[in-house]
Amino acid sequence: MSRKILVNSNCYHGYSIEDAIEGISNAGFKYIELTATKGWTEHVFFDQSFERLLEIRDLLEEKGLIPLALSGHTSLMDLNRSDDFIKNIYLAHFFGCEYIVTSVGEAHLEDVDSLGKDVILENLRRFEPVLRDCDLTMVIEVHGEDYGSGRVLKELIEPLKSHVIFIAYDTANAIFYGDVDPIEDLEDSIDLV
C-alpha cells in the first residue's frame, strides 16, 4: 500500500500561504493540507476573492503540490458556525481535496458552551449530504479534553453509520488531552480511523 505524506500549511503559522507552499515544496513533499482555521491560520478562507483562490490554486500546481486535505476546524458544538463549515467543505472541493479536517470544539479559539451529543450529531447529519455531493471525507481530529481519544470519538460518530465521517487520529493530542496510550486507544477505534 502506498502512503501519502502531507504537510499542513499551519506549520507555517504566521507566514503567508506563499511561504508555506514554497517551504513545503522545497522540502520535497508532494501533498499539502491547506489551513482554513478562522482566527488562527487563514491561508485559504471562503471569504477570500475568487481571484485570490485561483492564484493559490495555480501556485500549488506550479510547485507540484497536491492539496489532499483542508484543515477547516470549526466547532461542531456551535450551531452558529455550521454554515462556516459547509463553506469550508465547498472550499476543500474547490481545491480538489479528498479530506476535510475538523475537531468537535474549536481547535484554536475559545470554545462556546459545550453542547450535548445530540446537537453535535445533528450538525454531522447536516454535513453528510454536502460531503457526499463534494466527494469528500470528513475526519474529526482527536482534540481537546472531552474528545481527546479515539474511543470517545468512536462513541460519538459510530451511531451515524456514516460512509463519509471518520476519525483523524492525532497521537500527540491523544497523549496530551486524552491521557491515553495511543496503541491501546487505536485498538478500540481503528475501524473508524
Side-chain angles (χ1 to χ4, degrees):
M1 170 194 286
S2 67
R3 304 259 186 225
K4 295 177 182 176
I5 298 172
L6 58 82
V7 178
N8 190 325
S9 71
N10 191 54
C11 292
Y12 289 81
H13 176 71
Y15 292 88
S16 71
I17 185 62
E18 289 83 3
D19 290 337
I21 291 169
E22 185 74 24
I24 293 166
S25 173
N26 287 346
F29 290 94
K30 299 294 177 208
Y31 298 96
I32 187 170
E33 178 178 343
L34 298 168
T35 305
T37 304
K38 185 176 185 174
W40 185 251
T41 303
E42 298 176 11
H43 280 152
V44 296
F45 214 66
F46 57 75
D47 63 358
Q48 291 175 326
S49 73
F50 184 62
E51 181 179 12
R52 175 68 176 141
L53 295 173
L54 286 173
E55 287 173 2
I56 295 167
R57 196 168 71 175
D58 289 347
L59 182 59
L60 288 165
E61 187 174 330
E62 177 187 317
K63 295 294 183 178
L65 279 176
I66 299 167
L68 188 62
L70 183 123
S71 180
H73 285 274
T74 304
S75 177
L76 301 176
M77 294 190 285
D78 185 348
L79 293 174
N80 296 320
R81 296 285 312 282
S82 61
D83 287 339
D84 287 352
F85 190 72
I86 289 173
K87 291 174 186 172
N88 279 344
I89 293 171
Y90 286 116
L91 185 62
H93 179 69
F94 170 82
F95 280 102
C97 297
E98 294 178 31
Y99 301 94
I100 184 161
V101 183
T102 192
S103 52
V104 173
E106 285 290 0
H108 300 287
L109 298 178
E110 297 232 357
D111 275 331
V112 296
D113 292 335
S114 182
L115 299 176
K117 288 184 181 180
D118 290 343
V119 174
I120 297 167
L121 290 173
E122 179 184 330
N123 266 339
L124 292 174
R125 285 186 186 99
R126 184 172 175 225
F127 301 147
E128 279 187 295
V130 183
L131 290 162
R132 283 193 296 274
D133 287 347
C134 291
D135 196 25
L136 278 164
T137 298
M138 174 182 175
V139 290
I140 304 171
E141 183 180 342
V142 169
H143 197 288
E145 292 178 19
D146 293 334
Y147 295 94
S149 73
R151 181 186 50 77
V152 171
L153 278 179
K154 180 177 178 173
E155 289 172 4
L156 174 70
I157 66 174
E158 195 169 40
L160 292 172
K161 299 188 184 332
S162 178
H163 298 290
V164 292
I165 300 174
F166 295 91
I167 298 169
Y169 200 93
D170 185 314
T171 54
N173 283 347
I175 294 166
F176 182 76
Y177 292 110
D179 195 26
V180 296
D181 176 343
I183 294 172
E184 291 176 12
D185 189 44
L186 269 168
E187 287 178 10
D188 294 333
S189 59
I190 194 70
D191 57 317
L192 291 179
V193 172

